[in-house]
Amino acid sequence: MMKKLLLLSFIALLTWTAASAQQPFNGLEMNMGNLYRLSDAKTRSISPENFTGEPGKGGMATLDQGNARGAAKELGQGWKVNPYIHIEPGKTVTLAEISGPGAIQHIWMTPTGNWRYSILRFYWDDETTPSVEVPVGDFFGMGWGEYAPLNSLAVCVNPGSAFNCYWAMPFRKKCRITMENINTERMTLYYQVDYTLTNVPEDAGYFHAQFRRNNPVKDASFTMIDGVKGKGQYVGTYIAWGVNNNGWWGEGEIKFFMDGDKQYPTICGTGTEDYFCGSYNFDTKGRYQEFCTPYSGLSQVIRPDGLYKSQQRFGLYRWHIMDPVRFEKELKITIQDLGWRSSGRYLPQQSDISSVVYWYQREPHAPFPKLPAMNDLEVN
């Protein structure tokens, strides 16, 4: 009997393997192990040189249309006539509008001006409220408005202000990406949205990202996200942490409240630097040590300069790529704002903390809190 069961199991495995091998590759879930696989997926790209992403429509701007017409006036059409756009104060511009099904696979951009005052929004399918609503600097791990190299699997920031993300963002009907300039000055934006048109798996969730800020934190507890409803998985954290006191500032624990948790969470960390995959205050020989790895990092340390930059500020990221936090019904995440006082006692702090959280879920999503006003977004 046992031999018969083993034989049937082996036959079933072979049948499943053969069936899987015959499935056409949809061009998603890219990695070094499947780059050789051919696909019927269609590669497209949207930029100021091709606003629609249509085949054979790139670089067609004429000298009367392009923002760089002065530089191109001797060469003419086809010679980098419109490589960027301007966004006037108070205006919102649609960067990309795509009919699906498909998925965004890479975004590159280099916005000018104050990165807190440029608001990036993504809308999936027919939704009227965004699934992503984040200041552009924070979305790419630059919450303090200053460049710092960031080298990870999900986000890369390269010299001198090149923002890149590789989050897979599937959609079934359409995708719309906008940028709002809430600044009082005109901004210039170079950008590229690389995507593929292909079949999207039935179990694919939609990408979400939300920004929050407390300045200062009240009651030594910062809520990174709450009110998430539905089935999904949490995949990433970026925090811009400004410290307003002396000493080590990161004793606080992160807590994941999931699916009915009340007073106590299902997942509880052991300290801030531990959650970001470091240890012992990120301290090497009496100095904070910046680091970037594929999944986590202390990518930015802004040190006091003895004049106007009087406070320490930090940029940290943690991508749950290999260990997503899966939830069935709801999710809330908090992190404690704790340092040290005398005699080995914890100090409830009042730090300046901003966060971006990233997750996938089925739609519809719960409405986001209202984004802070311009003065409340300002880094000061």
Side-chain angles (χ1 to χ4, degrees):
M1 183 67 177
M2 181 60 68
K3 289 183 178 180
K4 184 176 181 180
L5 288 174
L6 289 173
L7 179 60
L8 290 173
S9 298
F10 181 67
I11 293 172
L13 177 62
L14 288 178
T15 302
W16 178 85
T17 302
S20 298
Q22 292 172 3
Q23 292 295 320
F25 180 45
N26 64 4
L28 302 178
E29 303 173 27
M30 297 305 305
N31 59 72
M32 290 293 291
N34 64 12
L35 279 177
Y36 65 90
R37 295 196 64 184
L38 302 182
S39 172
D40 290 331
K42 307 300 181 185
T43 298
R44 300 288 184 263
S45 183
I46 287 176
S47 76
E49 289 282 22
N50 187 350
F51 286 117
T52 65
E54 293 177 77
K57 299 292 185 180
M60 292 179 62
T62 57
L63 290 179
D64 62 326
Q65 299 171 320
N67 285 319
R69 53 186 172 271
K73 63 183 178 181
E74 296 180 1
L75 299 176
Q77 188 178 23
W79 290 91
K80 202 172 180 178
V81 177
N82 196 58
Y84 58 86
I85 63 171
H86 294 302
I87 305 179
E88 301 298 330
K91 299 299 183 181
T92 298
V93 170
T94 296
L95 305 183
E97 194 153 11
I98 307 165
S99 296
I104 296 171
Q105 295 182 304
H106 170 245
I107 298 173
W108 165 89
M109 63 176 57
T110 177
T112 63
N114 189 319
W115 297 334
R116 271 280 167 90
Y117 297 161
S118 302
I119 311 303
L120 195 60
R121 295 183 176 92
F122 293 65
Y123 302 81
W124 308 123
D125 296 348
D126 296 318
E127 65 184 3
T128 57
T129 61
S131 289
V132 172
E133 185 176 44
V134 182
V136 68
D138 295 81
F139 183 82
F140 291 94
M142 296 290 111
W144 294 115
E146 297 184 17
Y147 166 77
L150 196 165
N151 181 14
S152 76
L153 281 179
V155 175
C156 292
V157 180
N158 304 323
S161 59
F163 297 169
N164 296 267
C165 84
Y166 295 89
W167 296 111
M169 304 182 192
F171 51 93
R172 291 175 172 84
K173 296 180 181 178
K174 60 185 177 182
C175 156
R176 182 164 62 96
I177 304 174
T178 69
M179 180 82 82
E180 180 184 9
N181 178 13
I182 65 172
N183 204 351
T184 57
E185 300 174 358
R186 184 173 75 170
M187 69 174 294
T188 299
L189 180 66
Y190 294 79
Y191 71 94
Q192 197 103 21
V193 179
D194 301 320
Y195 61 99
T196 188
L197 298 176
T198 188
N199 295 324
V200 173
E202 184 177 344
D203 60 0
Y206 290 89
F207 181 78
H208 293 72
Q210 185 182 123
F211 171 88
R212 295 201 179 186
R213 186 189 194 187
N214 286 172
N215 182 24
V217 170
K218 305 294 186 183
D219 301 320
S221 182
F222 177 71
T223 299
M224 294 161 48
I225 190 74
D226 62 357
V228 174
K229 302 296 182 183
K231 181 183 179 67
Q233 52 209 38
Y234 185 81
V235 296
T237 304
Y238 167 74
I239 287 185
W241 197 307
V243 184
N244 295 321
N245 49 267
N246 292 326
W248 168 239
W249 46 272
E251 282 302 319
E253 296 178 337
I254 193 167
K255 300 177 187 293
F256 290 76
F257 298 84
M258 302 149 52
D259 301 334
D261 292 343
K262 300 300 183 186
Q263 184 176 357
Y264 299 104
T266 295
I267 298 173
C268 185
T270 58
T272 300
E273 81 274 47
D274 307 339
Y275 170 68
F276 289 100
C277 302
S279 68
Y280 294 105
N281 311 5
F282 306 117
D283 183 343
T284 58
K285 300 180 180 179
R287 180 180 176 85
Y288 289 111
Q289 179 61 62
E290 298 93 328
F291 70 97
C292 289
T293 73
Y295 306 117
S296 64
L298 174 68
S299 54
Q300 187 169 40
V301 178
I302 300 176
R303 297 172 172 86
D305 65 359
L307 190 58
Y308 299 122
K309 292 182 178 179
S310 60
Q311 306 301 119
Q312 294 187 107
R313 290 167 167 172
F314 304 88
L316 311 101
Y317 66 90
R318 168 75 155 89
W319 310 140
H320 293 266
I321 294 175
M322 301 305 293
D323 58 341
V325 178
R326 297 178 175 89
F327 54 93
E328 293 292 327
K329 298 182 298 182
E330 58 191 3
L331 179 68
K332 174 182 176 180
I333 306 172
T334 65
I335 192 165
Q336 296 167 333
D337 184 20
L338 282 184
W340 288 106
R341 62 167 79 245
S342 62
S343 303
R345 296 171 294 152
Y346 290 138
L347 169 68
Q349 299 174 143
Q350 292 184 316
S351 299
D352 174 4
I353 300 179
S354 301
S355 70
V356 180
V357 299
Y358 310 78
W359 77 98
Y360 292 90
Q361 72 162 91
R362 291 175 176 165
E363 292 288 0
H365 65 267
F368 286 13
K370 186 177 180 180
L371 200 70
M374 179 176 172
N375 286 348
D376 296 321
L377 288 172
E378 184 178 5
V379 173
N380 46 31

